[in-house]
């Protein structure tokens, strides 16, 4: 009986040690120091990819300008000539998690490098990975824009200091109604 007791005791000891080691490994893996904070993720995303000017058609002057001012990302819109200035006041932009991409664009978040947008989400810009933009026939630019419930490609163009003439635009009188409001 002594031999049997030793074998069982030995196996229980091995089992107990194995459980203890497994538990320690599991707890070490869940240690807070191994979890990426939002700040670490934000630092890993290079938002400078958005710095520059954009337009909705490749052959038009710049309409949106994204820049970094005083350490923060901002956007500005072109002003009409009557405003006596080229760009409006800067509006803040913030990084948006790639996991939120589907709220604005019909693209797999794994194909997106970075997303930036206004806090009210009226304007959201996404940069699509170059390799994906080259193989997707629906994309003719690496940049996507979401502007007030509509998504489309947007083109990065040279920044300029030329005002736009909104009154010369035949589409300037279009009124955008909220499509979700009942008539």
């Amino acid at each position: 009986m002594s031999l049997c007791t030793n074998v069982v005791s030995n196996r229980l000891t091995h089992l107990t040690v194995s459980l203890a080691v497994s538990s320690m490994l599991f707890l070490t893996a869940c240690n807070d120091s191994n979890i990426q904070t939002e700040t670490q993720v934000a630092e890993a995303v290079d938002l400078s990819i958005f710095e520059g000017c954009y337009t909705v058609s490749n052959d038009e002057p710049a309409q949106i300008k994204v820049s970094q001012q005083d350490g923060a990302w901002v956007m500005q819109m072109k002003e009409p000539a009557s405003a006596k200035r080229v760009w409006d006041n800067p509006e803040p932009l913030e990084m948006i998690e790639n996991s939120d991409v589907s709220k604005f664009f019909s693209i797999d978040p794994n194909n997106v490098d970075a997303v930036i947008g206004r806090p009210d989400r009226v304007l959201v810009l996404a940069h699509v990975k170059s390799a994906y933009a080259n193989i997707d026939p629906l994309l003719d630019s690496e940049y996507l824009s979401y502007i007030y419930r509509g998504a489309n490609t947007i083109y990065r163009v040279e920044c300029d200091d030329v005002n736009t003439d909104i009154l010369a635009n035949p589409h300037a009188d279009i009124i955008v109604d909220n499509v979700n409001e009942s008539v």
Side-chain angles (χ1 to χ4, degrees), residues 63-92:
Q63 298 169 349
I64 300 170
K65 181 179 184 180
V66 175
S67 61
Q68 195 171 19
Q69 296 180 10
D70 299 324
W73 288 99
V74 296
M75 65 153 293
Q76 294 172 274
M77 298 290 292
K78 255 315 170 56
E79 290 276 41
S82 61
K84 305 290 187 230
R85 63 183 183 170
V86 178
W87 299 100
D88 70 356
N89 295 329
E91 294 286 332

PDB file of all heavy atoms in Angstrom, residues 63-92:
ATOM      1  N   GLN A  63     -10.205  72.019 -50.972  1.00  0.00           N
ATOM      2  CA  GLN A  63     -11.394  72.476 -50.260  1.00  0.00           C
ATOM      3  C   GLN A  63     -11.282  72.262 -48.751  1.00  0.00           C
ATOM      4  O   GLN A  63     -11.922  72.951 -47.978  1.00  0.00           O
ATOM      5  CB  GLN A  63     -12.631  71.753 -50.783  1.00  0.00           C
ATOM      6  CG  GLN A  63     -12.894  72.026 -52.234  1.00  0.00           C
ATOM      7  CD  GLN A  63     -13.959  71.115 -52.815  1.00  0.00           C
ATOM      8  OE1 GLN A  63     -14.375  70.142 -52.202  1.00  0.00           O
ATOM      9  NE2 GLN A  63     -14.401  71.422 -54.017  1.00  0.00           N
ATOM     10  N   ILE A  64     -10.480  71.265 -48.354  1.00  0.00           N
ATOM     11  CA  ILE A  64     -10.283  70.941 -46.948  1.00  0.00           C
ATOM     12  C   ILE A  64      -8.782  70.914 -46.674  1.00  0.00           C
ATOM     13  O   ILE A  64      -8.014  70.388 -47.481  1.00  0.00           O
ATOM     14  CB  ILE A  64     -10.882  69.562 -46.596  1.00  0.00           C
ATOM     15  CG1 ILE A  64     -12.386  69.540 -46.862  1.00  0.00           C
ATOM     16  CG2 ILE A  64     -10.589  69.191 -45.142  1.00  0.00           C
ATOM     17  CD1 ILE A  64     -12.998  68.154 -46.764  1.00  0.00           C
ATOM     18  N   LYS A  65      -8.402  71.465 -45.550  1.00  0.00           N
ATOM     19  CA  LYS A  65      -6.990  71.466 -45.167  1.00  0.00           C
ATOM     20  C   LYS A  65      -6.871  70.823 -43.781  1.00  0.00           C
ATOM     21  O   LYS A  65      -7.578  71.205 -42.851  1.00  0.00           O
ATOM     22  CB  LYS A  65      -6.474  72.906 -45.117  1.00  0.00           C
ATOM     23  CG  LYS A  65      -5.018  73.052 -44.758  1.00  0.00           C
ATOM     24  CD  LYS A  65      -4.652  74.536 -44.781  1.00  0.00           C
ATOM     25  CE  LYS A  65      -3.206  74.798 -44.524  1.00  0.00           C
ATOM     26  NZ  LYS A  65      -2.929  76.244 -44.554  1.00  0.00           N
ATOM     27  N   VAL A  66      -5.972  69.840 -43.662  1.00  0.00           N
ATOM     28  CA  VAL A  66      -5.706  69.181 -42.379  1.00  0.00           C
ATOM     29  C   VAL A  66      -4.270  69.512 -41.989  1.00  0.00           C
ATOM     30  O   VAL A  66      -3.355  69.355 -42.794  1.00  0.00           O
ATOM     31  CB  VAL A  66      -5.894  67.647 -42.482  1.00  0.00           C
ATOM     32  CG1 VAL A  66      -5.491  66.964 -41.188  1.00  0.00           C
ATOM     33  CG2 VAL A  66      -7.330  67.306 -42.858  1.00  0.00           C
ATOM     34  N   SER A  67      -4.102  69.995 -40.768  1.00  0.00           N
ATOM     35  CA  SER A  67      -2.759  70.360 -40.311  1.00  0.00           C
ATOM     36  C   SER A  67      -2.659  70.158 -38.805  1.00  0.00           C
ATOM     37  O   SER A  67      -3.662  69.949 -38.121  1.00  0.00           O
ATOM     38  CB  SER A  67      -2.438  71.802 -40.679  1.00  0.00           C
ATOM     39  OG  SER A  67      -3.350  72.691 -40.061  1.00  0.00           O
ATOM     40  N   GLN A  68      -1.440  70.259 -38.337  1.00  0.00           N
ATOM     41  CA  GLN A  68      -1.201  70.182 -36.908  1.00  0.00           C
ATOM     42  C   GLN A  68      -0.863  71.585 -36.421  1.00  0.00           C
ATOM     43  O   GLN A  68       0.046  72.226 -36.950  1.00  0.00           O
ATOM     44  CB  GLN A  68      -0.061  69.213 -36.622  1.00  0.00           C
ATOM     45  CG  GLN A  68       0.016  68.791 -35.188  1.00  0.00           C
ATOM     46  CD  GLN A  68       1.013  67.664 -34.970  1.00  0.00           C
ATOM     47  OE1 GLN A  68       1.889  67.428 -35.787  1.00  0.00           O
ATOM     48  NE2 GLN A  68       0.877  66.967 -33.866  1.00  0.00           N
ATOM     49  N   GLN A  69      -1.629  72.057 -35.439  1.00  0.00           N
ATOM     50  CA  GLN A  69      -1.408  73.393 -34.890  1.00  0.00           C
ATOM     51  C   GLN A  69      -1.365  73.286 -33.372  1.00  0.00           C
ATOM     52  O   GLN A  69      -2.285  72.742 -32.762  1.00  0.00           O
ATOM     53  CB  GLN A  69      -2.518  74.355 -35.327  1.00  0.00           C
ATOM     54  CG  GLN A  69      -2.558  74.601 -36.811  1.00  0.00           C
ATOM     55  CD  GLN A  69      -3.665  75.557 -37.218  1.00  0.00           C
ATOM     56  OE1 GLN A  69      -4.315  76.189 -36.390  1.00  0.00           O
ATOM     57  NE2 GLN A  69      -3.897  75.665 -38.522  1.00  0.00           N
ATOM     58  N   ASP A  70      -0.304  73.784 -32.789  1.00  0.00           N
ATOM     59  CA  ASP A  70      -0.120  73.750 -31.331  1.00  0.00           C
ATOM     60  C   ASP A  70      -0.261  72.332 -30.773  1.00  0.00           C
ATOM     61  O   ASP A  70      -0.875  72.117 -29.725  1.00  0.00           O
ATOM     62  CB  ASP A  70      -1.119  74.698 -30.637  1.00  0.00           C
ATOM     63  CG  ASP A  70      -0.945  76.140 -31.068  1.00  0.00           C
ATOM     64  OD1 ASP A  70       0.213  76.551 -31.288  1.00  0.00           O
ATOM     65  OD2 ASP A  70      -1.962  76.855 -31.196  1.00  0.00           O
ATOM     66  N   GLY A  71       0.261  71.353 -31.507  1.00  0.00           N
ATOM     67  CA  GLY A  71       0.261  69.968 -31.046  1.00  0.00           C
ATOM     68  C   GLY A  71      -1.042  69.222 -31.243  1.00  0.00           C
ATOM     69  O   GLY A  71      -1.160  68.065 -30.844  1.00  0.00           O
ATOM     70  N   ALA A  72      -2.052  69.857 -31.839  1.00  0.00           N
ATOM     71  CA  ALA A  72      -3.345  69.211 -32.062  1.00  0.00           C
ATOM     72  C   ALA A  72      -3.652  69.180 -33.554  1.00  0.00           C
ATOM     73  O   ALA A  72      -3.230  70.065 -34.304  1.00  0.00           O
ATOM     74  CB  ALA A  72      -4.438  69.961 -31.321  1.00  0.00           C
ATOM     75  N   TRP A  73      -4.397  68.179 -33.984  1.00  0.00           N
ATOM     76  CA  TRP A  73      -4.803  68.080 -35.388  1.00  0.00           C
ATOM     77  C   TRP A  73      -6.074  68.878 -35.593  1.00  0.00           C
ATOM     78  O   TRP A  73      -7.007  68.812 -34.783  1.00  0.00           O
ATOM     79  CB  TRP A  73      -5.004  66.615 -35.784  1.00  0.00           C
ATOM     80  CG  TRP A  73      -3.693  65.928 -35.878  1.00  0.00           C
ATOM     81  CD1 TRP A  73      -3.106  65.128 -34.936  1.00  0.00           C
ATOM     82  CD2 TRP A  73      -2.760  66.019 -36.960  1.00  0.00           C
ATOM     83  NE1 TRP A  73      -1.871  64.721 -35.368  1.00  0.00           N
ATOM     84  CE2 TRP A  73      -1.635  65.250 -36.603  1.00  0.00           C
ATOM     85  CE3 TRP A  73      -2.765  66.687 -38.179  1.00  0.00           C
ATOM     86  CZ2 TRP A  73      -0.536  65.122 -37.443  1.00  0.00           C
ATOM     87  CZ3 TRP A  73      -1.669  66.561 -39.011  1.00  0.00           C
ATOM     88  CH2 TRP A  73      -0.566  65.781 -38.644  1.00  0.00           C
ATOM     89  N   VAL A  74      -6.111  69.656 -36.688  1.00  0.00           N
ATOM     90  CA  VAL A  74      -7.261  70.509 -36.997  1.00  0.00           C
ATOM     91  C   VAL A  74      -7.583  70.429 -38.488  1.00  0.00           C
ATOM     92  O   VAL A  74      -6.748  70.016 -39.293  1.00  0.00           O
ATOM     93  CB  VAL A  74      -7.005  71.992 -36.610  1.00  0.00           C
ATOM     94  CG1 VAL A  74      -6.814  72.137 -35.108  1.00  0.00           C
ATOM     95  CG2 VAL A  74      -5.822  72.559 -37.374  1.00  0.00           C
ATOM     96  N   MET A  75      -8.788  70.828 -38.822  1.00  0.00           N
ATOM     97  CA  MET A  75      -9.200  70.926 -40.224  1.00  0.00           C
ATOM     98  C   MET A  75      -9.733  72.327 -40.465  1.00  0.00           C
ATOM     99  O   MET A  75     -10.232  72.989 -39.568  1.00  0.00           O
ATOM    100  CB  MET A  75     -10.276  69.901 -40.555  1.00  0.00           C
ATOM    101  CG  MET A  75     -11.579  70.143 -39.812  1.00  0.00           C
ATOM    102  SD  MET A  75     -13.075  69.558 -40.614  1.00  0.00           S
ATOM    103  CE  MET A  75     -13.195  70.591 -42.030  1.00  0.00           C
ATOM    104  N   GLN A  76      -9.606  72.766 -41.710  1.00  0.00           N
ATOM    105  CA  GLN A  76     -10.155  74.054 -42.122  1.00  0.00           C
ATOM    106  C   GLN A  76     -10.788  73.884 -43.490  1.00  0.00           C
ATOM    107  O   GLN A  76     -10.350  73.069 -44.294  1.00  0.00           O
ATOM    108  CB  GLN A  76      -9.038  75.100 -42.193  1.00  0.00           C
ATOM    109  CG  GLN A  76      -8.434  75.434 -40.845  1.00  0.00           C
ATOM    110  CD  GLN A  76      -7.221  76.324 -40.989  1.00  0.00           C
ATOM    111  OE1 GLN A  76      -6.126  75.823 -41.187  1.00  0.00           O
ATOM    112  NE2 GLN A  76      -7.433  77.634 -40.889  1.00  0.00           N
ATOM    113  N   MET A  77     -11.828  74.656 -43.739  1.00  0.00           N
ATOM    114  CA  MET A  77     -12.520  74.644 -45.024  1.00  0.00           C
ATOM    115  C   MET A  77     -12.186  75.928 -45.770  1.00  0.00           C
ATOM    116  O   MET A  77     -11.962  76.972 -45.170  1.00  0.00           O
ATOM    117  CB  MET A  77     -14.036  74.547 -44.817  1.00  0.00           C
ATOM    118  CG  MET A  77     -14.488  73.281 -44.113  1.00  0.00           C
ATOM    119  SD  MET A  77     -14.306  71.795 -45.098  1.00  0.00           S
ATOM    120  CE  MET A  77     -15.518  72.060 -46.360  1.00  0.00           C
ATOM    121  N   LYS A  78     -12.204  75.841 -47.096  1.00  0.00           N
ATOM    122  CA  LYS A  78     -11.972  77.015 -47.956  1.00  0.00           C
ATOM    123  C   LYS A  78     -13.111  78.010 -47.773  1.00  0.00           C
ATOM    124  O   LYS A  78     -14.268  77.638 -47.619  1.00  0.00           O
ATOM    125  CB  LYS A  78     -11.987  76.575 -49.411  1.00  0.00           C
ATOM    126  CG  LYS A  78     -10.741  76.449 -50.236  1.00  0.00           C
ATOM    127  CD  LYS A  78      -9.714  77.488 -50.201  1.00  0.00           C
ATOM    128  CE  LYS A  78      -8.423  77.141 -50.873  1.00  0.00           C
ATOM    129  NZ  LYS A  78      -8.407  76.747 -52.209  1.00  0.00           N
ATOM    130  N   GLU A  79     -12.762  79.259 -47.815  1.00  0.00           N
ATOM    131  CA  GLU A  79     -13.739  80.334 -47.686  1.00  0.00           C
ATOM    132  C   GLU A  79     -14.017  80.946 -49.055  1.00  0.00           C
ATOM    133  O   GLU A  79     -13.153  80.910 -49.939  1.00  0.00           O
ATOM    134  CB  GLU A  79     -13.191  81.430 -46.773  1.00  0.00           C
ATOM    135  CG  GLU A  79     -13.103  81.019 -45.320  1.00  0.00           C
ATOM    136  CD  GLU A  79     -14.405  81.194 -44.569  1.00  0.00           C
ATOM    137  OE1 GLU A  79     -15.478  80.883 -45.118  1.00  0.00           O
ATOM    138  OE2 GLU A  79     -14.341  81.644 -43.431  1.00  0.00           O
ATOM    139  N   PRO A  80     -15.178  81.539 -49.243  1.00  0.00           N
ATOM    140  CA  PRO A  80     -15.442  82.254 -50.493  1.00  0.00           C
ATOM    141  C   PRO A  80     -14.618  83.549 -50.537  1.00  0.00           C
ATOM    142  O   PRO A  80     -14.153  84.039 -49.508  1.00  0.00           O
ATOM    143  CB  PRO A  80     -16.944  82.556 -50.418  1.00  0.00           C
ATOM    144  CG  PRO A  80     -17.278  82.532 -48.975  1.00  0.00           C
ATOM    145  CD  PRO A  80     -16.336  81.548 -48.342  1.00  0.00           C
ATOM    146  N   ALA A  81     -14.452  84.085 -51.706  1.00  0.00           N
ATOM    147  CA  ALA A  81     -13.651  85.308 -51.881  1.00  0.00           C
ATOM    148  C   ALA A  81     -14.177  86.451 -51.029  1.00  0.00           C
ATOM    149  O   ALA A  81     -13.412  87.290 -50.550  1.00  0.00           O
ATOM    150  CB  ALA A  81     -13.628  85.698 -53.349  1.00  0.00           C
ATOM    151  N   SER A  82     -15.480  86.489 -50.804  1.00  0.00           N
ATOM    152  CA  SER A  82     -16.069  87.581 -50.020  1.00  0.00           C
ATOM    153  C   SER A  82     -15.650  87.541 -48.542  1.00  0.00           C
ATOM    154  O   SER A  82     -15.809  88.524 -47.833  1.00  0.00           O
ATOM    155  CB  SER A  82     -17.594  87.525 -50.116  1.00  0.00           C
ATOM    156  OG  SER A  82     -18.064  86.294 -49.577  1.00  0.00           O
ATOM    157  N   ALA A  83     -15.092  86.457 -48.079  1.00  0.00           N
ATOM    158  CA  ALA A  83     -14.707  86.330 -46.673  1.00  0.00           C
ATOM    159  C   ALA A  83     -13.411  87.066 -46.350  1.00  0.00           C
ATOM    160  O   ALA A  83     -13.067  87.229 -45.177  1.00  0.00           O
ATOM    161  CB  ALA A  83     -14.563  84.865 -46.300  1.00  0.00           C
ATOM    162  N   LYS A  84     -12.675  87.456 -47.361  1.00  0.00           N
ATOM    163  CA  LYS A  84     -11.409  88.185 -47.184  1.00  0.00           C
ATOM    164  C   LYS A  84     -10.336  87.337 -46.483  1.00  0.00           C
ATOM    165  O   LYS A  84      -9.416  87.861 -45.888  1.00  0.00           O
ATOM    166  CB  LYS A  84     -11.620  89.483 -46.406  1.00  0.00           C
ATOM    167  CG  LYS A  84     -12.655  90.405 -46.999  1.00  0.00           C
ATOM    168  CD  LYS A  84     -12.169  91.014 -48.297  1.00  0.00           C
ATOM    169  CE  LYS A  84     -13.162  92.067 -48.763  1.00  0.00           C
ATOM    170  NZ  LYS A  84     -13.562  91.932 -50.125  1.00  0.00           N
ATOM    171  N   ARG A  85     -10.493  86.034 -46.502  1.00  0.00           N
ATOM    172  CA  ARG A  85      -9.480  85.104 -46.018  1.00  0.00           C
ATOM    173  C   ARG A  85      -9.646  83.803 -46.786  1.00  0.00           C
ATOM    174  O   ARG A  85     -10.720  83.529 -47.332  1.00  0.00           O
ATOM    175  CB  ARG A  85      -9.566  84.869 -44.516  1.00  0.00           C
ATOM    176  CG  ARG A  85     -10.880  84.233 -44.073  1.00  0.00           C
ATOM    177  CD  ARG A  85     -10.937  84.093 -42.585  1.00  0.00           C
ATOM    178  NE  ARG A  85     -12.178  83.422 -42.203  1.00  0.00           N
ATOM    179  CZ  ARG A  85     -12.429  82.997 -40.999  1.00  0.00           C
ATOM    180  NH1 ARG A  85     -11.560  83.157 -40.045  1.00  0.00           N
ATOM    181  NH2 ARG A  85     -13.576  82.403 -40.729  1.00  0.00           N
ATOM    182  N   VAL A  86      -8.606  82.995 -46.843  1.00  0.00           N
ATOM    183  CA  VAL A  86      -8.660  81.771 -47.638  1.00  0.00           C
ATOM    184  C   VAL A  86      -9.282  80.603 -46.862  1.00  0.00           C
ATOM    185  O   VAL A  86     -10.132  79.895 -47.379  1.00  0.00           O
ATOM    186  CB  VAL A  86      -7.245  81.383 -48.140  1.00  0.00           C
ATOM    187  CG1 VAL A  86      -7.284  80.089 -48.932  1.00  0.00           C
ATOM    188  CG2 VAL A  86      -6.668  82.503 -48.983  1.00  0.00           C
ATOM    189  N   TRP A  87      -8.885  80.417 -45.616  1.00  0.00           N
ATOM    190  CA  TRP A  87      -9.357  79.280 -44.823  1.00  0.00           C
ATOM    191  C   TRP A  87     -10.153  79.747 -43.617  1.00  0.00           C
ATOM    192  O   TRP A  87      -9.862  80.783 -43.026  1.00  0.00           O
ATOM    193  CB  TRP A  87      -8.165  78.441 -44.344  1.00  0.00           C
ATOM    194  CG  TRP A  87      -7.363  77.863 -45.469  1.00  0.00           C
ATOM    195  CD1 TRP A  87      -6.187  78.351 -45.966  1.00  0.00           C
ATOM    196  CD2 TRP A  87      -7.688  76.725 -46.256  1.00  0.00           C
ATOM    197  NE1 TRP A  87      -5.762  77.569 -47.011  1.00  0.00           N
ATOM    198  CE2 TRP A  87      -6.665  76.552 -47.212  1.00  0.00           C
ATOM    199  CE3 TRP A  87      -8.733  75.809 -46.258  1.00  0.00           C
ATOM    200  CZ2 TRP A  87      -6.645  75.521 -48.140  1.00  0.00           C
ATOM    201  CZ3 TRP A  87      -8.722  74.775 -47.189  1.00  0.00           C
ATOM    202  CH2 TRP A  87      -7.701  74.644 -48.113  1.00  0.00           C
ATOM    203  N   ASP A  88     -11.169  78.974 -43.220  1.00  0.00           N
ATOM    204  CA  ASP A  88     -11.948  79.331 -42.042  1.00  0.00           C
ATOM    205  C   ASP A  88     -11.178  78.983 -40.766  1.00  0.00           C
ATOM    206  O   ASP A  88     -10.031  78.547 -40.816  1.00  0.00           O
ATOM    207  CB  ASP A  88     -13.330  78.667 -42.071  1.00  0.00           C
ATOM    208  CG  ASP A  88     -13.289  77.154 -41.872  1.00  0.00           C
ATOM    209  OD1 ASP A  88     -12.195  76.571 -41.786  1.00  0.00           O
ATOM    210  OD2 ASP A  88     -14.369  76.537 -41.801  1.00  0.00           O
ATOM    211  N   ASN A  89     -11.807  79.190 -39.613  1.00  0.00           N
ATOM    212  CA  ASN A  89     -11.166  78.913 -38.331  1.00  0.00           C
ATOM    213  C   ASN A  89     -10.931  77.410 -38.169  1.00  0.00           C
ATOM    214  O   ASN A  89     -11.784  76.600 -38.563  1.00  0.00           O
ATOM    215  CB  ASN A  89     -12.028  79.420 -37.171  1.00  0.00           C
ATOM    216  CG  ASN A  89     -12.148  80.922 -37.182  1.00  0.00           C
ATOM    217  OD1 ASN A  89     -11.239  81.626 -37.612  1.00  0.00           O
ATOM    218  ND2 ASN A  89     -13.289  81.425 -36.725  1.00  0.00           N
ATOM    219  N   PRO A  90      -9.818  77.026 -37.580  1.00  0.00           N
ATOM    220  CA  PRO A  90      -9.523  75.604 -37.395  1.00  0.00           C
ATOM    221  C   PRO A  90     -10.530  74.915 -36.476  1.00  0.00           C
ATOM    222  O   PRO A  90     -10.941  75.479 -35.464  1.00  0.00           O
ATOM    223  CB  PRO A  90      -8.133  75.602 -36.751  1.00  0.00           C
ATOM    224  CG  PRO A  90      -7.584  76.966 -36.934  1.00  0.00           C
ATOM    225  CD  PRO A  90      -8.739  77.888 -37.099  1.00  0.00           C
ATOM    226  N   GLU A  91     -10.939  73.721 -36.874  1.00  0.00           N
ATOM    227  CA  GLU A  91     -11.828  72.871 -36.070  1.00  0.00           C
ATOM    228  C   GLU A  91     -11.004  71.682 -35.603  1.00  0.00           C
ATOM    229  O   GLU A  91     -10.231  71.123 -36.378  1.00  0.00           O
ATOM    230  CB  GLU A  91     -13.007  72.373 -36.908  1.00  0.00           C
ATOM    231  CG  GLU A  91     -13.960  73.442 -37.357  1.00  0.00           C
ATOM    232  CD  GLU A  91     -14.835  73.953 -36.225  1.00  0.00           C
ATOM    233  OE1 GLU A  91     -15.096  73.195 -35.269  1.00  0.00           O
ATOM    234  OE2 GLU A  91     -15.248  75.121 -36.300  1.00  0.00           O
ATOM    235  N   PRO A  92     -11.165  71.243 -34.359  1.00  0.00           N
ATOM    236  CA  PRO A  92     -10.350  70.131 -33.857  1.00  0.00           C
ATOM    237  C   PRO A  92     -10.680  68.799 -34.528  1.00  0.00           C
ATOM    238  O   PRO A  92     -11.827  68.559 -34.927  1.00  0.00           O
ATOM    239  CB  PRO A  92     -10.688  70.077 -32.364  1.00  0.00           C
ATOM    240  CG  PRO A  92     -12.029  70.723 -32.248  1.00  0.00           C
ATOM    241  CD  PRO A  92     -12.099  71.743 -33.357  1.00  0.00           C
TER     242      PRO A  92
END
